[in-house]
Amino acid sequence: MLNKINALIQAEHFRPKPVDDSLSVFVFDNLINELDPSRNIFFKSEYDELAKKYRYNIDDLILKNDCNFLSDIKSVYVNGLVRTKKVLEKIQTLPIDYTKKDTIRFYKKSFAFYLKKEDIEKVWVKKLRYQILDDIAETSDNLDSLKANFKSIEMASKNKILTNEICRFSTLLETDTKQEEKFYNFFCTYFDPHTAYFSDDSKTSFMASLSKEHLSLGMTVNLNDKNEIIIDEVDPNGPAYQTGQVKKGDQIISISNQKETLQVSCASLESISTMILSEANKHITLTLKRNSGKSFDVYIEKQVMKDEDNSVFSFIIGKDSKIGYIKIPSFYADLDGNSRKGCADDVAREVIKLERDNIKGLVIDLIDNGGGSMEEAIKLAGMFVDYGPLSIVVDNHNEKSVISDPFKGVIYRGPIVVLINSNTASASEFFSSIMQDYNRALLLGSSTLGKATMQTILPLDEQNTDFLKITINKFYRITGKSHQYIGVKPDVVLPEFYEDIFQKESDFPTAMKNDSITPFLKYKTYVKRNLIDKIAKNSSARLSDNYFFDNIKKINLKIDQLVNTPKAEMPMTLDAVFKQKKILNALWTEINTFNDENNPLDVYNSSVNQLLLGAYPTDKTINQYQMDHLKTNPYLNEAVNIINEFNGM
């Protein structure tokens, strides 16, 4: 299998790398980190032995078509799981001494293996002692009452945490963990972060994520404060609602796809969401519990449903000078090709509706838009640019080809502001950069993710059961520059929450670096660059002492200190853990209650959408929620100011 994967990558990848020692180290380290991130399963001696045998040799073994190292690593791992489970079962029967002086330290990055045979129990008692204290600190805001009832709270907490840990290890031992699939993926990401191995199942899920309609249970789930999985929303048009048995707030105890059953308390979130989302699992049985009563089973058959996350929507802002707003959550496409259900056509429809109400400008919101179909992004850019080149694509033979605007003319001529942030990625960065290079829109927000490569999905063999998503091109802006690795920089830079901890393309060790090519294209911009620069300068001056954005910067510093600065050692006492919890909770409260109430925007539906809502009353709830969400959006507020200034000029 690895030879097939390697052969396909060497033949088709944009910049294939040799299979050598650096690949070997990358794959070995990633696999071991994945198996034992907290360094409490493998003994140091076991790790040293495996590293000596394989860390620099995986490349040679792959080339010899010898994959026995996988089963060797796996058997050492399984051995470690069995051993650890026994230790946990022993700890469950013994009391934990909370008076013993001890400290704990947290590392941001993975650290060296240190576990000795004689220390395994001590290491686990320490880890569990912290988890139990942390859990106790969650149960009340009153430290004195926690101390007074420590014994009974501790007993319940210890029992819950140990039961879950033991159950987690049992699950890891029972499920035939697909180490191979993980290993193939690490092999692929060595070439770049977006090349990946897909089994048939994971390919179906990936394709569904790009489509506007997919098989669904018609419900969303969430974690409550006790880390239980709770049903959050039940869609009245979906199969879960139609059973008549599923209610908001029900706790999910287990999930079965008729082949295997996952106990929620100890399965990984990844495996639970795969079972819920995978298109292969059409028939699902949920075991639910309501208000801590008796548990009951509900059988649900998934149905094809419209995906709200993959649907464009629009509003109008302001009564005097009306400005259109269009949200594009992702660049979804009709992959079966039998209907016009792509995102570009949906945006065109919304623009036409907004134009009937005589809008004076347009805001296109690409915040948190992770991309999707490049064809849709090309079509959409073509609707706003009159004619000319959109991008230069370079393939693995260094051949350059130009992507040109597929449509002559534009669907809308007025001023445009595009909203972007750190999570604006791939196809949405591509679209934003074209709008910026043609001076067709002013970009507002923070620098985007930094992915300027294109992938395709290819079968590994004639049987079509395994696939590779493989990076085949890199695209460049019409200026010859690229936003690969560095992102698209907005014309007006505004801070956003968590911007220092969002994962960017440049955080991936195997990401392709930024470069540029000699420009050779002619194109005509929409307005002069100095006009955009002038408006951007005025906007930045207007916002220089803005209360909302200044506060985001202050809160970001606190988040950065919590997440990115190395932690000092912490005493293992209830007082210390409680104090840490208070600091964290205060920060969460500050983030979640922080909003810009000072001047709510006037947001309402276009006349056409108003009519449609009358015909489809079930859409009213989501419509109202979307509207309320926008009224106090400070990014949108500034976008409106910019368009009004542009029109004033």
Side-chain angles (χ1 to χ4, degrees):
M1 177 66 107
L2 265 174
N3 269 350
K4 278 187 195 168
I5 293 175
N6 186 36
L8 192 57
I9 288 178
Q10 298 299 336
E12 301 290 342
H13 195 277
F14 175 67
R15 290 285 179 268
K17 304 177 194 171
V19 175
D20 57 14
D21 282 0
S22 77
L23 171 134
S24 189
V25 168
F26 177 85
V27 172
F28 180 82
D29 289 353
N30 274 290
L31 186 63
I32 295 288
N33 273 340
E34 173 87 13
L35 296 176
D36 190 6
S38 307
R39 309 294 190 241
N40 49 25
I41 294 169
F42 288 120
F43 288 151
K44 183 182 186 310
S45 55
E46 292 171 330
Y47 167 78
D48 290 345
E49 171 106 354
L50 288 172
K52 196 170 109 190
K53 281 201 313 213
Y54 302 125
R55 195 160 180 257
Y56 289 98
N57 291 331
I58 288 178
D59 54 323
D60 307 323
L61 294 165
I62 289 169
L63 294 173
K64 281 189 216 147
N65 215 353
D66 173 3
C67 286
N68 290 329
F69 62 90
L70 268 178
S71 38
D72 189 11
I73 293 173
K74 191 171 169 180
S75 73
V76 179
Y77 174 62
V78 168
N79 202 3
L81 293 178
V82 171
R83 174 176 67 214
T84 313
K85 190 181 161 195
K86 281 192 183 129
V87 170
L88 291 169
E89 283 163 345
K90 181 181 170 191
I91 296 172
Q92 200 172 24
T93 62
L94 303 169
I96 291 176
D97 180 4
Y98 294 92
T99 58
K100 195 165 136 239
K101 275 204 161 155
D102 202 352
T103 58
I104 193 163
R105 162 164 262 171
F106 297 92
Y107 293 89
K108 185 173 185 282
K109 295 212 163 19
S110 55
F111 48 99
F113 282 85
Y114 67 96
L115 190 59
K116 294 195 181 84
K117 193 176 178 177
E118 58 273 19
D119 293 340
I120 182 167
E121 196 175 312
K122 193 174 90 186
V123 164
W124 271 97
V125 167
K126 183 170 180 162
K127 176 181 159 73
L128 292 160
R129 175 176 164 182
Y130 175 78
Q131 278 180 301
I132 293 163
L133 288 173
D134 192 52
D135 188 58
I136 292 170
E138 280 286 355
T139 54
S140 166
D141 290 334
N142 184 332
L143 184 57
D144 295 333
S145 116
L146 288 178
K147 285 179 171 173
N149 303 300
F150 186 81
K151 219 168 169 178
S152 61
I153 304 173
E154 189 273 344
M155 209 166 100
S157 186
K158 179 184 171 201
N159 186 35
K160 177 180 87 179
I161 282 166
L162 268 144
T163 307
N164 277 352
E165 281 287 3
I166 291 166
C167 175
R168 192 167 66 84
F169 276 85
S170 304
T171 311
L172 286 171
L173 283 162
E174 280 159 25
T175 47
D176 182 28
T177 27
K178 298 193 174 62
Q179 287 341 328
E180 286 78 9
E181 201 163 318
K182 282 187 180 138
F183 179 80
Y184 299 153
N185 257 320
F186 291 135
F187 182 86
C188 292
T189 38
Y190 173 71
F191 295 90
D192 80 295
H194 309 288
T195 293
Y197 163 80
F198 281 161
S199 63
D200 202 16
D201 212 8
S202 43
K203 174 182 174 258
T204 327
S205 297
F206 175 75
M207 298 307 269
S209 73
L210 295 182
S211 144
K212 189 165 136 185
E213 297 182 323
H214 62 129
L215 273 180
S216 164
L217 292 172
M219 56 178 225
T220 58
V221 296
N222 221 323
L223 287 176
N224 68 4
D225 48 8
K226 297 197 202 108
N227 260 345
E228 296 161 342
I229 294 186
I230 298 296
I231 291 174
D232 196 29
E233 294 293 342
V234 185
D235 187 324
N237 308 317
Y241 182 86
Q242 285 150 16
T243 62
Q245 295 171 274
V246 181
K247 300 263 185 295
K248 184 178 166 146
D250 287 351
Q251 181 191 348
I252 302 179
I253 306 294
S254 69
I255 302 172
S256 164
N257 62 358
Q258 322 311 317
K259 291 194 283 286
E260 59 169 332
T261 300
L262 295 178
Q263 296 299 327
V264 168
S265 64
C266 61
S268 71
L269 275 176
E270 187 187 9
S271 56
I272 294 165
S273 63
T274 302
M275 193 175 283
I276 290 180
L277 297 173
S278 166
E279 300 254 325
N281 298 323
K282 203 174 171 192
H283 307 274
I284 293 282
T285 301
L286 295 178
T287 304
L288 301 174
K289 203 179 208 176
R290 188 167 302 148
N291 308 331
S292 328
K294 250 174 62 175
S295 55
F296 57 98
D297 287 350
V298 182
Y299 172 79
I300 310 173
E301 190 170 326
K302 291 181 181 174
Q303 289 172 10
V304 173
M305 291 186 67
K306 183 169 147 201
D307 186 346
E308 292 302 346
D309 293 338
N310 277 353
S311 301
V312 164
F313 59 85
S314 73
F315 290 106
I316 294 180
I317 292 133
K319 288 278 192 277
D320 308 328
S321 102
K322 298 175 178 171
I323 288 165
Y325 166 89
I326 295 180
K327 172 74 179 173
I328 310 176
S330 75
F331 282 86
Y332 52 84
D334 168 33
L335 295 167
D336 305 326
N338 48 19
S339 66
R340 294 177 68 79
K341 281 187 178 150
C343 130
D345 287 325
D346 287 353
V347 171
R349 265 192 287 277
E350 297 307 316
V351 171
I352 292 161
K353 290 178 194 172
L354 294 168
E355 290 234 68
R356 288 182 68 163
D357 287 334
N358 298 316
I359 55 165
K360 299 283 180 276
L362 181 62
V363 179
I364 297 174
D365 187 348
L366 297 178
I367 286 178
D368 295 337
N369 179 327
S373 159
M374 284 297 290
E375 280 80 0
E376 291 296 322
I378 292 166
K379 268 169 79 174
L380 190 64
M383 291 178 184
F384 293 106
V385 169
D386 199 352
Y387 61 90
L390 298 181
S391 178
I392 304 154
V393 180
V394 178
D395 68 12
N396 58 358
H397 303 299
N398 244 347
E399 297 284 329
K400 296 182 182 70
S401 51
V402 177
I403 298 176
S404 291
D405 180 353
F407 314 107
K408 199 163 165 41
V410 292
I411 191 169
Y412 175 73
R413 292 201 174 276
I416 299 174
V417 171
V418 176
L419 302 180
I420 55 175
N421 74 341
S422 304
N423 290 333
T424 302
S426 195
S428 47
E429 295 178 271
F430 175 84
F431 172 78
S432 313
S433 65
I434 295 166
M435 298 292 273
Q436 190 176 46
D437 291 339
Y438 269 96
N439 299 345
R440 182 61 191 95
L442 181 144
L443 271 47
L444 174 83
S446 38
S447 289
T448 61
L449 181 101
K451 175 180 181 288
T453 54
M454 215 171 349
Q455 288 71 36
T456 189
I457 293 180
L458 299 172
L460 269 183
D461 46 35
E462 285 73 60
Q463 281 77 47
N464 282 6
T465 52
D466 298 273
F467 302 83
L468 279 196
K469 175 162 74 83
I470 188 166
T471 299
I472 51 162
N473 311 83
K474 192 168 177 183
F475 46 86
Y476 292 81
R477 297 168 72 146
I478 48 176
T479 57
K481 293 190 166 65
S482 164
H483 58 263
Q484 172 60 26
Y485 203 77
I486 55 173
V488 175
K489 190 172 184 283
D491 303 298
V492 176
V493 179
L494 292 177
E496 60 174 325
F497 277 134
Y498 311 118
E499 64 188 359
D500 302 323
I501 56 175
F502 274 134
Q503 192 166 37
K504 295 283 196 88
E505 182 81 2
S506 52
D507 295 324
F508 292 105
T510 59
M512 291 183 194
K513 299 290 186 277
N514 183 267
D515 64 348
S516 51
I517 54 177
T518 316
F520 59 89
L521 294 172
K522 289 190 166 51
Y523 57 95
K524 187 169 172 281
T525 58
Y526 183 71
V527 294
K528 293 270 183 286
R529 186 73 221 169
N530 55 10
L531 176 64
I532 301 236
D533 289 342
K534 186 179 172 184
I535 291 175
K537 203 173 152 191
N538 292 349
S539 166
S540 300
R542 200 168 32 241
L543 298 172
S544 61
D545 56 355
N546 176 286
Y547 155 83
F548 179 87
F549 295 116
D550 282 352
N551 263 5
I552 286 190
K553 287 177 194 163
K554 285 176 194 156
I555 294 176
N556 274 343
L557 278 175
K558 294 183 191 175
I559 295 172
D560 188 45
Q561 278 176 323
L562 267 175
V563 178
N564 291 331
T565 37
K567 304 266 187 301
E569 279 189 67
M570 186 171 104
M572 290 267 267
T573 60
L574 184 59
D575 291 273
V577 175
F578 188 82
K579 185 178 157 195
Q580 181 199 38
K581 185 68 74 193
K582 264 192 108 90
I583 294 170
L584 263 177
N585 286 349
L587 185 60
W588 272 116
T589 309
E590 202 173 345
I591 292 166
N592 291 333
T593 55
F594 179 62
N595 51 13
D596 191 16
E597 293 287 339
N598 45 17
N599 50 350
L601 292 162
D602 190 2
V603 183
Y604 54 98
N605 286 296
S606 62
S607 339
V608 179
N609 280 346
Q610 198 57 52
L611 278 171
L612 287 171
L613 273 181
Y616 301 102
T618 48
D619 292 344
K620 275 187 176 153
T621 325
I622 183 121
N623 179 270
Q624 192 57 49
Y625 170 79
Q626 289 163 343
M627 250 191 301
D628 294 343
H629 208 62
L630 287 176
K631 283 178 181 165
T632 56
N633 181 325
Y635 302 91
L636 182 55
N637 199 9
E638 183 53 25
V640 168
N641 292 338
I642 286 169
I643 289 174
N644 287 335
E645 183 182 342
F646 189 92
N647 285 329
M649 286 177 161

